[in-house]
């Protein structure tokens, strides 16, 4: 529990600094006015020439950028926020210019913090969404030379037809800026639902949540402890968060999820740059775009810092990092960053507004305003108030979750397989352990354990934080028999449909298996899911010899995600999964 408190305090202390920093600075080294058309054309040609000499290889959550001729003498390993996938062209340019290879390991903000708490592991740099995750994790004082690479505000992205229906956009895509109270009213009237990342697991979710609280406090000053004790305010925020129809631990995955099913998910809270990226993908798929809506009460801004992690690598690695950092700050790299919707000028101004690709990324038909006029910062609360607010979110204000844990207890799970599952469930559901990662159950949560082999056990239900009996059963259940995950999923689907009908929950199924399942019940389950017409994702965790083809089919069917529990810290995998519901 001490670790959890220290994390919250660190977030709190740094969040004030980061939000202010995001509004006061842009890309370090970037000019605040755009260059001549000829200079921009020359920069474009330089990017194209350098990018042609860079190879990019992707394996899971890792991307390697290296000179195509194999000339790289140094490789920099970066623990990076998942949102930086969109910065690939700027990264390619920096690698092409410097000859330094970059190995990008994409992960969540909490993961980056954990990397630093563990002494940096074998990473040479970190590149999170916000500086607060660096300060929170840098207990060993190994981080230095942090430099903002860009800024991007956290906004609402709303399907154009929905925004028009709400009166917040016109046919040309020009938007108004509703107050947070008006957004709340739309949720209360059943006119708006939205997807949003977890405030305790993702920078975009934390930023949005604090902005909601501050705006709805009804005062001109910053949020106070007295405000958090105000039942009317907390009730309003809980009501606003009741509009969340999908949660996520990753801003980038949230964008991908919305793009995959735009008819079901017509709005999200996310980075402005990711809304822009989503619109490019939606346009390519023939769907209507989202429009960006900036709440009138204030905007939180991400500062995207790249920083060096010192643990004795030597002068060559440090020099290589410095070269990459400088390349990402030059005019050509900032042009590439703005081409994917990030802002690189002082105060959030767009530097290269005359470039055609930049203009397309900040398309006014999508409601995007390229100057800084809409970036009005919220009055910032004291650090201890933010600490209280984040705890309040996880334990009381976030929308309750209804999670169905469908667990393989076949004979092949005997030993390490079952031990891993039990350890993971304890990390996710034991209130004390879960609090260390800020994923502890709140009193409105429901967790259901559905063990299966070739047959399905009766479900074990735990309400709120009273999870002891469920965990005891998970420990004592014997691993024996065959594997029929589809029958277990059918049982979960029946309960999920009822939970959706009851309302008031974000509902998800978590499947854990280590083998290839019998398929005689597959068609029946797929048909039942398609006919159910519910938005219930399946998040699968692979163990042992689990068949990724079977699991990926479920991911595609349900707009979910597959996690690999075969390597690394299994408890961390379970934490990530819980962050999605």
């Amino acid at each position: 529990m001490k670790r959890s408190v220290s994390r919250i305090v660190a977030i709190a202390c740094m969040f004030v600094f980061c939000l202010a920093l995001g509004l006061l600075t842009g890309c370090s080294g970037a000019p605040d006015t755009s260059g001549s058309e000829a200079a921009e054309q020359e920069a474009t040609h330089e990017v194209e020439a350098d990018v042609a000499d860079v190879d990019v290889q992707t394996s899971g959550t890792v991307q390697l950028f290296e000179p195509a001729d194999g000339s790289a003498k140094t490789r920099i390993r970066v623990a990076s926020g998942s949102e930086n996938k969109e910065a690939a062209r700027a990264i390619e340019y920096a690698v092409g210019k410097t000859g330094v290879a970059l190995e990008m390991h994409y992960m969540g903000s909490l993961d980056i913090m954990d990397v630093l708490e563990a002494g940096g592991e074998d990473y040479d740099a970190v590149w999170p969404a916000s500086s607060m995750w660096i300060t929170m994790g840098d207990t060993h004082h190994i981080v230095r030379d942090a430099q903002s690479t860009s800024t991007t505000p956290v906004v609402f992205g709303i399907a154009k037809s929905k925004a028009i229906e709400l009166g917040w956009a016109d046919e040309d895509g020009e938007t108004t800026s509703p107050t947070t109270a008006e957004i709340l009213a739309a949720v209360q009237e059943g006119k708006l639902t939205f997807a949003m990342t977890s405030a305790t697991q993702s920078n975009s979710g934390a930023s949005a949540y604090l902005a909601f609280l501050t705006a709805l406090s009804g005062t001109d000053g910053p949020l106070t402890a007295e405000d958090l004790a105000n039942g009317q305010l907390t009730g309003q925020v809980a009501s606003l968060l009741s509009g969340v129809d999908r949660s996520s631990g990753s801003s980038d995955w949230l964008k991908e999820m919305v793009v995959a099913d735009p008819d079901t998910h017509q709005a999200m809270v996310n980075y402005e740059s990711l809304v822009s990226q989503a619109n490019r993908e939606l346009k390519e798929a023939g769907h209507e775009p989202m429009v960006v809506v900036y709440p009138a009460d204030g905007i939180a801004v991400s500062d995207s810092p790249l920083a060096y992690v010192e643990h004795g690598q030597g002068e060559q690695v440090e020099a290589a990092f410095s070269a990459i950092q400088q390349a990402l700050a030059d005019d050509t790299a900032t042009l590439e960053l703005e081409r994917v919707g990030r802002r690189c000028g002082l105060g959030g101004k767009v530097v290269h507004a005359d470039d055609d690709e930049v203009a397309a990324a900040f398309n006014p038909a999508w409601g995007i305003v390229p100057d800084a006029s809409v970036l009005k910062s919220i009055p910032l609360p004291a650090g201890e108030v933010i600490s209280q607010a984040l705890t309040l979110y996880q334990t009381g204000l976030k929308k309750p979750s209804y999670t169905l844990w469908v667990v393989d207890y076949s004979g092949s799970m005997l030993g390490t397989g079952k031990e891993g599952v039990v350890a993971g469930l304890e990390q996710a559901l034991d209130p004390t352990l879960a609090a260390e990662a800020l994923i502890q159950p709140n009193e409105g949560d429901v967790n259901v354990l559905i063990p299966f082999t070739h047959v399905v056990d009766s479900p074990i239900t735990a309400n709120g934080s009273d999870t002891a009996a469920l965990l005891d059963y998970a420990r004592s259940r014997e691993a024996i028999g065959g594997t029929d995950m589809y029958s277990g999923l059918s049982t979960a689907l029946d309960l999920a449909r009822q939970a959706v009908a009851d309302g008031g929950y974000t509902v998800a199924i978590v499947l854990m298996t280590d083998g290839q399942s019998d398929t005689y019940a597959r068609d029946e389950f797929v048909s039942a899911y398609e006919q159910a017409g519910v938005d219930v994702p399946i998040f699968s965790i692979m163990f042992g010899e689990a068949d990724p083809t079977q699991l990926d089919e479920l991911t595609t069917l349900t707009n979910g995600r597959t996690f690999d529990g075969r390597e690394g810290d299994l408890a961390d995998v379970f934490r990530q999964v819980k962050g999605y519901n």
Side-chain angles (χ1 to χ4, degrees), residues 262-277:
D263 294 333
T264 300
H265 303 286
Q266 293 191 303
M268 67 175 171
V269 173
N270 213 327
Y271 300 115
E272 177 189 62
S273 59
L274 287 182
V275 176
S276 178
Q277 180 61 41

Side-chain angles (χ1 to χ4, degrees), residues 26-345:
C27 301
S28 190
D32 65 352
T33 58
S34 57
S36 67
E37 181 177 352
E40 288 177 1
Q41 289 177 348
E42 180 180 349
T44 302
H45 293 321
E46 182 180 359
V47 170
E48 292 172 351
D50 286 332
V51 167
D53 295 327
V54 173
D55 281 341
V56 182
Q57 302 173 37
T58 302
S59 177
T61 58
V62 179
Q63 266 190 323
L64 174 62
F65 298 78
E66 59 183 348
D69 60 7
S71 61
K73 296 181 179 179
T74 308
R75 177 185 296 189
I76 302 295
R77 288 170 54 86
V78 184
S80 168
S82 61
E83 68 282 346
N84 287 326
K85 292 177 184 178
E86 68 181 1
R89 289 203 301 186
I91 295 170
E92 290 178 36
Y93 163 73
V95 170
K97 179 178 181 179
T98 64
V100 175
L102 275 185
E103 186 176 299
M104 304 288 290
H105 292 250
Y106 298 113
M107 59 187 72
S109 297
L110 195 68
D111 301 306
I112 294 174
M113 180 194 69
D114 287 341
V115 163
L116 294 175
E117 283 187 335
E121 299 179 6
D122 56 354
Y123 293 102
D124 305 300
V126 290
W127 192 357
S130 171
S131 298
M132 68 178 172
W133 303 104
I134 294 177
T135 298
M136 180 170 59
D138 189 23
T139 56
H140 299 280
H141 307 293
I142 55 177
V143 176
R144 53 190 175 83
D145 299 330
Q147 180 173 291
S148 174
T149 57
S150 64
T151 59
T152 186
V154 178
V155 299
F156 277 83
I158 305 176
K160 183 177 178 181
S161 59
K162 172 60 71 172
I164 292 173
E165 176 188 320
L166 291 167
W168 299 343
D170 60 22
E171 292 292 345
D172 295 327
E174 184 174 348
T175 59
T176 61
S177 293
T179 64
T180 305
E182 290 172 324
I183 296 171
L184 169 61
V187 170
Q188 291 175 326
E189 294 166 8
K191 297 179 180 178
L192 176 68
T193 59
F194 56 95
M196 175 177 155
T197 61
S198 166
T200 59
Q201 301 300 309
S202 169
N203 182 70
S204 64
S207 300
Y209 167 64
L210 290 173
F212 295 160
L213 273 170
T214 304
L216 290 171
S217 67
T219 64
D220 293 331
L223 197 70
T224 66
E226 288 74 21
D227 291 326
L228 295 179
N230 182 330
Q232 181 179 358
L233 171 61
T234 56
Q236 286 180 316
V237 174
S239 183
L240 177 54
L241 293 174
S242 74
V244 174
D245 56 22
R246 274 285 194 103
S247 184
S248 168
S250 162
S251 301
D252 187 65
W253 184 88
L254 189 77
K255 180 265 295 181
E256 293 173 357
M257 184 272 297
V258 170
V259 169
D261 192 1
D263 294 333
T264 300
H265 303 286
Q266 293 191 303
M268 67 175 171
V269 173
N270 213 327
Y271 300 115
E272 177 189 62
S273 59
L274 287 182
V275 176
S276 178
Q277 180 61 41
N279 278 343
R280 300 178 193 208
E281 297 174 24
L282 289 167
K283 179 180 178 181
E284 184 176 343
H287 296 293
E288 72 168 333
M290 293 182 152
V291 292
V292 171
V293 172
Y294 306 90
D297 312 74
I299 298 291
V301 178
S302 165
D303 65 331
S304 189
L306 176 63
Y308 185 66
V309 178
E310 170 64 59
H311 47 82
Q313 303 96 310
E315 293 182 1
Q316 181 174 327
V317 173
E318 186 173 357
F321 167 82
S322 180
I324 286 289
Q325 192 177 59
Q326 291 177 34
L328 286 171
D330 75 18
D331 194 63
T332 303
T334 58
L335 172 63
E336 289 301 329
L337 287 168
E338 292 197 336
R339 284 174 171 174
V340 294
R342 298 195 181 193
R343 297 166 182 257
C344 288

Side-chain angles (χ1 to χ4, degrees), residues 391-570:
T391 299
L392 185 61
Y393 167 86
Q394 185 62 32
T395 60
L397 299 189
K398 80 176 186 71
K399 188 174 182 177
S401 62
Y402 193 108
T403 310
L404 298 127
W405 303 86
V406 182
V407 182
D408 184 351
Y409 276 85
S410 63
S412 59
M413 290 289 285
L414 183 65
T416 57
K418 177 187 169 181
E419 290 168 2
V421 166
V422 170
L425 287 172
E426 288 173 338
Q427 290 292 327
L429 300 181
D430 179 277
T432 301
L433 294 176
E436 295 181 3
L438 295 177
I439 58 171
Q440 63 267 44
N442 70 34
E443 291 311 307
D445 286 353
V446 177
N447 286 280
V448 183
L449 176 65
I450 304 176
F452 71 89
T453 57
H454 57 287
V455 294
V456 183
D457 287 9
S458 297
I460 309 297
T461 301
N463 294 300
S465 58
D466 187 14
T467 58
L470 184 153
L471 290 172
D472 284 344
Y473 188 90
R475 298 182 193 102
S476 62
R477 174 50 163 101
E478 185 180 6
I480 188 172
T483 306
D484 176 19
M485 69 184 187
Y486 296 103
S487 292
L489 291 171
S490 292
T491 299
L493 179 60
D494 289 340
L495 294 173
R497 291 172 63 182
Q498 184 60 53
V500 170
D502 290 345
Y505 299 103
T506 56
V507 184
I509 297 170
V510 181
L511 169 66
M512 290 160 276
T513 182
D514 77 334
Q516 297 184 10
S517 175
D518 295 335
T519 58
Y520 61 84
R522 173 198 170 278
D523 292 346
E524 180 181 354
F525 169 74
V526 170
S527 177
Y529 186 92
E530 291 174 340
Q531 293 176 19
V534 293
D535 177 41
V536 176
I538 295 177
F539 299 118
S540 302
I541 305 177
M542 288 191 293
F543 298 92
E545 300 301 320
D547 184 354
T549 302
Q550 290 181 323
L551 300 184
D552 289 344
E553 178 186 46
L554 294 170
T555 294
T556 302
L557 172 69
T558 67
N559 205 5
R561 179 175 176 179
T562 300
F563 296 83
D564 194 341
R566 296 172 296 185
E567 297 180 359
D569 185 352
L570 188 58

